[in-house]
Amino acid sequence: MEASEIYSAYEFEDFDKGRKSFEDLLIEDFGLTKWMNCIMDTRRQFVVSIIDSLEVHTSPYITEATLRCLLYISQGVPSECKNELGDVKMAKLNNVLLKQCCVFPVLVQCLCRYTKHISGQQW
């Protein structure tokens, strides 16, 4: 299953939920308002804290918010980019960061758990 099958930054509702999940975590957990203003070390700490929170929480709603947040980051944090070229550049940079933080296996696990949840299987 591809992430784009359940999430698309270009579908308004999904985009809005992803942006909101991202901004809520960025503001509430780190007191920051803009991803673009963060140095790489702060971005790394933010990503690691999101992954760590998954180990503590087992709620499908927290997993969904985290999943949306990570997918939003992987798409380049489009709400902060001024144009498509900036979005593509930021997406590449963010995906390198996510790879360095070993996010992709966690992302696949979250997608599997979320898919089971929405299909009615036990969480």
Side-chain angles (χ1 to χ4, degrees), residues 69-115:
C69 181
L70 290 172
L71 290 170
Y72 188 76
I73 291 170
S74 75
Q75 290 176 320
V77 188
S79 65
E80 293 188 23
C81 296
K82 295 180 181 177
N83 56 43
E84 190 175 332
L85 182 61
D87 189 27
V88 169
K89 195 174 182 181
M90 185 55 68
K92 287 180 182 179
L93 185 66
N94 288 349
N95 279 291
V96 168
L97 171 65
L98 294 175
K99 183 179 178 189
Q100 290 171 346
C101 294
C102 301
V103 167
F104 296 110
V106 173
L107 195 54
V108 169
Q109 181 183 16
C110 283
L111 285 168
C112 289
R113 288 172 59 191
Y114 181 68
T115 303

Side-chain angles (χ1 to χ4, degrees), residues 26-42:
L26 190 68
I27 292 167
E28 290 173 15
D29 291 357
F30 275 74
L32 304 168
T33 56
K34 295 282 184 191
W35 180 259
M36 300 285 250
N37 294 343
C38 298
I39 60 172
M40 190 56 72
D41 219 30
T42 303

